Amino acid sequence: MSRVRVHNFSISLDGFGTGDGQSFEAPFGHAGQRLHAWMFATRFWDDAGTAGVDNAFAERHEPGIGAEIMGAGKFGPPGWQDDPEWRGWWGPNPPFHTPVYVLTHRPRPPLEMDGGTTFHFVDAEPVDALAVAREAADGQDIRIGGGATMLREFLAAGLVDHLHVVQVPIVLGRGVRLWDGLEALEEQYDVEAVSSPSGVTHLTFTR
Ligand SMILES: NC(=O)c1ccc[n+]([C@@H]2O[C@H](COP(=O)([O-])OP(=O)(O)OC[C@H]3O[C@@H](n4cnc5c(N)ncnc54)[C@H](OP(=O)(O)O)[C@@H]3O)[C@@H](O)[C@H]2O)c1
């Protein structure tokens, strides 16, 4: 059976997966780019980047993925549902190259992009969205892309097989939390931690 994976999901020390005040100008709200500075410094992101621990984790994002499921809050800034022209943050050739299922209570027709990415908009419970994505992934794994709200739903429903969380040494104080309502989640997984010289800690939760 294909697995459900999360990669490179970055949280602050106080557990926020995005900052407060998301907008078109500030996709991560007041967090700015601080949650992903570790990743932008890697070769995975930039050919001139580093090739150490952070890169080894970051590049596991791609292989073996046949579909992604993301939340409406990742696909666009608040209110994108009112803009019929909005096609995501990523330009004409988004970096997914697979079907992508965008969870929203206001679905619209699919958007076929260059490079093999098609955005499908679905109003469904996590288990039902996963069944559709699994069919499309054709035996490959399904990535849960976040943000925090939808990832929390998938974790609460017990649907995630491998979770890679990157704990970034910043305190955000406000935003959208990942862990709320997930008490004792760790009991369902083998948990490993690897600390990187960059200051982040890579935590993996594997069934
Ligand atoms: N830290 C990281 O590594 C990381 C990774 C990815 C994204 N992000 C950031 O996280 C932020 C977005 O996270 P978020 O928590 O605000 O939002 P989110 O999890 O991306 O999306 C939540 C929204 O998705 C829709 N949704 C969720 N479950 C649904 C269901 N079962 N059925 C139908 N619709 C459903 C709802 O939107 P509707 O209002 O349309 O119904 C809901 O408000 C962005 O700032 C993004 O940049 C961070």
Side-chain angles (χ1 to χ4, degrees), residues 35-115:
L35 285 168
H36 293 95
W38 70 272
M39 191 175 75
F40 300 144
T42 65
R43 191 171 293 177
F44 166 73
W45 192 264
D46 178 346
D47 288 343
T50 62
V53 174
D54 291 338
N55 188 61
F57 275 98
E59 64 185 15
R60 295 171 58 209
H61 184 262
E62 314 286 339
I65 296 292
E68 169 158 328
I69 308 174
M70 69 169 66
K74 175 172 173 179
F75 184 70
W80 67 262
Q81 295 91 335
D82 295 321
D83 178 358
E85 304 300 318
W86 181 260
R87 297 172 73 82
W89 295 106
W90 302 276
N93 186 359
F96 304 101
H97 313 298
T98 66
V100 174
Y101 294 86
V102 179
L103 289 175
T104 173
H105 294 99
R106 294 173 59 191
R108 55 173 67 182
L111 281 177
E112 195 173 335
M113 311 295 285
D114 295 343

Side-chain angles (χ1 to χ4, degrees), residues 117-191:
T117 300
T118 302
F119 293 113
H120 301 271
F121 299 88
V122 288
D123 181 358
E125 292 302 312
V127 69
D128 298 322
L130 178 58
V132 173
R134 182 164 262 144
E135 182 82 27
D138 197 21
Q140 298 205 84
D141 291 346
I142 298 93
R143 187 173 52 234
I144 305 301
T149 303
M150 68 80 74
L151 175 53
R152 196 188 316 115
E153 289 176 33
F154 277 75
L155 289 167
L159 297 173
V160 175
D161 299 309
H162 179 82
L163 169 66
H164 169 225
V165 172
V166 186
Q167 194 163 42
V168 180
I170 59 173
V171 179
L172 283 177
R174 57 204 159 92
V176 184
R177 287 184 191 278
L178 177 60
W179 302 122
D180 287 5
L182 298 177
E183 182 179 334
L185 179 79
E186 71 286 352
E187 291 174 2
Q188 302 168 32
Y189 295 94
D190 291 331
V191 182

